[in-house]
Coordinates of all heavy atoms in Angstrom, one line a residue:
A1 N 77.5 59.2 -34.2 CA 77.7 60.6 -34.3 C 77.0 61.4 -33.2 O 77.4 62.5 -32.8 CB 77.1 61.2 -35.6
E2 N 76.0 60.8 -32.5 CA 75.2 61.5 -31.5 C 75.3 60.9 -30.1 O 75.5 61.6 -29.1 CB 73.7 61.5 -31.9 CG 73.4 62.2 -33.2 CD 73.8 63.8 -33.1 OE1 73.7 64.3 -32.0 OE2 74.1 64.3 -34.2
R3 N 75.4 59.6 -30.1 CA 75.4 58.9 -28.8 C 76.5 57.8 -28.8 O 77.1 57.5 -29.8 CB 74.0 58.2 -28.4 CG 72.9 59.3 -28.3 CD 71.7 58.7 -27.7 NE 71.9 58.4 -26.2 CZ 71.8 59.2 -25.2 NH1 71.3 60.5 -25.5 NH2 72.0 58.9 -24.0
A4 N 76.6 57.1 -27.6 CA 77.6 56.0 -27.6 C 76.9 55.0 -26.6 O 76.1 55.4 -25.8 CB 78.9 56.4 -27.1
T5 N 77.4 53.8 -26.6 CA 76.9 52.7 -25.8 C 78.1 52.0 -25.2 O 79.0 51.5 -25.9 CB 76.0 51.7 -26.5 OG1 74.9 52.4 -27.1 CG2 75.5 50.6 -25.5
L6 N 78.1 51.9 -23.8 CA 79.1 51.1 -23.1 C 78.5 49.8 -22.7 O 77.5 49.6 -22.0 CB 79.5 51.9 -21.8 CG 80.6 51.2 -21.0 CD1 81.9 51.1 -21.7 CD2 80.7 51.9 -19.6
F7 N 79.2 48.8 -23.2 CA 78.7 47.4 -23.0 C 79.6 46.8 -21.9 O 80.7 46.6 -22.0 CB 78.9 46.5 -24.3 CG 78.1 47.0 -25.5 CD1 78.6 48.0 -26.3 CD2 76.8 46.5 -25.7 CE1 77.8 48.4 -27.4 CE2 76.0 46.9 -26.7 CZ 76.6 47.8 -27.6
V8 N 78.9 46.6 -20.7 CA 79.6 46.3 -19.5 C 78.6 45.7 -18.5 O 77.3 45.8 -18.8 CB 80.2 47.6 -18.8 CG1 79.1 48.5 -18.4 CG2 81.2 47.3 -17.7
N9 N 79.0 45.0 -17.5 CA 78.1 44.5 -16.5 C 77.5 45.7 -15.7 O 78.3 46.4 -15.0 CB 78.8 43.5 -15.6 CG 77.9 43.0 -14.5 OD1 76.8 43.4 -14.4 ND2 78.5 42.2 -13.6
P10 N 76.3 46.0 -15.9 CA 75.8 47.2 -15.2 C 75.9 47.2 -13.7 O 76.0 48.3 -13.1 CB 74.2 47.2 -15.5 CG 74.2 46.4 -16.8 CD 75.2 45.3 -16.6
A11 N 76.0 46.1 -13.1 CA 76.2 45.9 -11.6 C 77.5 46.5 -11.2 O 77.7 46.8 -9.9 CB 76.0 44.5 -11.2
K12 N 78.5 46.6 -12.1 CA 79.7 47.1 -11.7 C 79.8 48.6 -11.6 O 80.8 49.2 -11.2 CB 80.8 46.7 -12.7 CG 81.0 45.1 -12.8 CD 81.7 44.7 -14.0 CE 83.1 45.3 -14.2 NZ 84.1 44.8 -13.2
L13 N 78.8 49.3 -12.1 CA 78.8 50.8 -12.2 C 78.1 51.4 -10.9 O 77.1 51.1 -10.5 CB 78.0 51.3 -13.4 CG 78.5 50.8 -14.7 CD1 77.6 51.1 -15.9 CD2 79.9 51.6 -15.1
T14 N 78.9 52.4 -10.4 CA 78.3 53.1 -9.2 C 77.4 54.2 -9.7 O 77.4 54.5 -10.9 CB 79.5 53.7 -8.4 OG1 80.2 54.7 -9.2 CG2 80.4 52.7 -7.9
D15 N 76.7 54.9 -8.8 CA 75.9 56.1 -9.2 C 76.8 57.2 -9.8 O 76.3 57.8 -10.7 CB 75.2 56.6 -7.9 CG 74.1 55.7 -7.4 OD1 73.6 54.8 -8.2 OD2 73.7 55.8 -6.2
A16 N 78.0 57.3 -9.3 CA 78.8 58.3 -9.8 C 79.3 58.0 -11.3 O 79.3 58.9 -12.2 CB 80.1 58.5 -9.0
C17 N 79.4 56.7 -11.5 CA 79.7 56.3 -13.0 C 78.6 56.6 -13.9 O 78.7 57.1 -15.0 CB 80.0 54.8 -13.0 SG 81.6 54.3 -12.1
H18 N 77.3 56.2 -13.4 CA 76.1 56.5 -14.3 C 76.0 58.0 -14.5 O 75.6 58.4 -15.6 CB 74.9 56.0 -13.5 CG 74.7 54.5 -13.6 ND1 74.4 53.9 -14.8 CD2 74.8 53.5 -12.7 CE1 74.2 52.6 -14.6 NE2 74.5 52.3 -13.3
K19 N 76.3 58.8 -13.6 CA 76.2 60.3 -13.8 C 77.2 60.7 -14.8 O 76.8 61.5 -15.7 CB 76.5 61.0 -12.4 CG 76.4 62.5 -12.5 CD 76.5 63.1 -11.1 CE 76.3 64.6 -11.1 NZ 77.2 65.4 -11.9
V20 N 78.4 60.3 -14.7 CA 79.4 60.7 -15.8 C 79.0 60.2 -17.2 O 79.1 60.9 -18.2 CB 80.8 60.1 -15.4 CG1 81.8 60.2 -16.6 CG2 81.4 60.8 -14.2
L21 N 78.5 59.0 -17.3 CA 78.1 58.4 -18.6 C 76.9 59.2 -19.1 O 76.8 59.5 -20.3 CB 77.8 56.9 -18.4 CG 79.0 56.1 -18.1 CD1 78.6 54.6 -17.8 CD2 80.1 56.1 -19.2
S22 N 75.9 59.4 -18.2 CA 74.7 60.1 -18.7 C 75.0 61.5 -19.2 O 74.5 61.9 -20.2 CB 73.7 60.2 -17.5 OG 72.6 60.9 -17.9
E23 N 75.9 62.2 -18.5 CA 76.3 63.6 -19.0 C 76.9 63.6 -20.4 O 76.8 64.6 -21.1 CB 77.2 64.2 -17.9 CG 76.5 64.6 -16.6 CD 77.5 65.1 -15.6 OE1 78.7 64.9 -15.8 OE2 77.0 65.6 -14.5
A24 N 77.6 62.5 -20.7 CA 78.2 62.4 -21.9 C 77.4 61.7 -23.0 O 77.9 61.4 -24.1 CB 79.6 61.6 -21.8
K25 N 76.1 61.4 -22.7 CA 75.2 60.7 -23.6 C 75.7 59.3 -23.9 O 75.7 58.9 -25.2 CB 75.0 61.6 -24.8 CG 74.2 62.9 -24.5 CD 73.9 63.7 -25.8 CE 73.3 65.0 -25.5 NZ 73.0 65.7 -26.7
I26 N 76.2 58.6 -23.0 CA 76.6 57.2 -23.1 C 75.6 56.3 -22.5 O 75.4 56.4 -21.3 CB 78.1 57.0 -22.5 CG1 79.1 57.9 -23.2 CG2 78.4 55.5 -22.7 CD1 80.5 57.7 -22.7
D27 N 74.9 55.4 -23.3 CA 74.0 54.5 -22.7 C 74.8 53.3 -22.2 O 76.0 53.1 -22.6 CB 73.1 54.0 -23.8 CG 72.3 55.2 -24.4 OD1 71.8 56.0 -23.6 OD2 72.1 55.3 -25.6
V28 N 74.1 52.4 -21.4 CA 74.7 51.3 -20.8 C 74.0 50.0 -21.3 O 72.7 50.0 -21.3 CB 74.8 51.3 -19.3 CG1 75.3 50.0 -18.7 CG2 75.6 52.5 -18.8
A29 N 74.7 49.0 -21.8 CA 74.0 47.8 -22.2 C 74.8 46.6 -21.6 O 76.0 46.8 -21.3 CB 73.9 47.7 -23.7
E30 N 74.2 45.4 -21.6 CA 75.0 44.2 -21.1 C 76.2 43.9 -21.9 O 76.2 44.1 -23.2 CB 74.0 43.0 -21.1 CG 73.0 43.0 -20.0 CD 73.5 42.7 -18.6 OE1 74.7 42.3 -18.6 OE2 72.8 42.8 -17.7
Y31 N 77.2 43.5 -21.3 CA 78.5 43.3 -21.9 C 78.4 42.3 -23.2 O 78.9 42.7 -24.2 CB 79.5 42.6 -20.9 CG 80.8 42.2 -21.6 CD1 81.7 43.1 -22.0 CD2 81.1 40.8 -21.7 CE1 82.9 42.6 -22.5 CE2 82.3 40.4 -22.1 CZ 83.2 41.3 -22.6 OH 84.3 40.9 -23.1
R32 N 77.7 41.3 -23.0 CA 77.7 40.3 -24.1 C 76.7 40.7 -25.3 O 76.6 40.0 -26.3 CB 77.3 38.9 -23.6 CG 78.3 38.4 -22.6 CD 78.0 37.0 -22.1 NE 78.8 36.5 -21.1 CZ 80.1 36.1 -21.2 NH1 80.6 36.0 -22.4 NH2 80.8 35.7 -20.2
S33 N 75.9 41.7 -25.1 CA 75.0 42.1 -26.1 C 75.6 42.9 -27.2 O 75.0 43.4 -28.2 CB 73.9 43.0 -25.5 OG 74.3 44.2 -25.0
V34 N 77.0 43.1 -27.2 CA 77.6 43.9 -28.1 C 77.6 43.2 -29.5 O 77.5 43.9 -30.6 CB 79.2 44.2 -27.8 CG1 79.9 42.9 -27.7 CG2 79.8 45.1 -28.7
V35 N 77.6 41.9 -29.6 CA 77.6 41.2 -30.9 C 76.3 41.5 -31.6 O 76.2 41.8 -32.8 CB 77.8 39.7 -30.7 CG1 77.7 39.0 -32.0 CG2 79.2 39.5 -30.1
D36 N 75.2 41.5 -30.8 CA 73.9 41.7 -31.4 C 73.7 43.2 -31.8 O 73.1 43.5 -32.9 CB 72.8 41.4 -30.4 CG 72.6 39.9 -30.2 OD1 73.0 39.1 -31.1 OD2 72.3 39.5 -29.0
A37 N 74.3 44.1 -31.1 CA 74.3 45.5 -31.4 C 75.1 45.8 -32.8 O 74.6 46.5 -33.6 CB 74.9 46.4 -30.3

């Protein structure tokens, strides 16, 4: 309801990507950690 998490390889994200995600309150986590989440 408040935030979201994108599970992806963080090394693939540019600074521009991080900016877009941050503005939308989307956190970034390792791709394979989705199962634990």
Side-chain angles (χ1 to χ4, degrees):
E2 299 295 333
R3 300 193 67 87
T5 301
L6 179 66
F7 298 88
V8 67
N9 179 358
K12 294 164 61 70
L13 296 170
T14 64
D15 290 342
C17 292
H18 280 292
K19 184 175 185 294
V20 167
L21 295 173
S22 177
E23 290 174 348
K25 297 182 179 180
I26 299 178
D27 302 317
V28 176
E30 286 286 351
Y31 172 70
R32 299 186 187 279
S33 67
V34 63
V35 176
D36 291 330

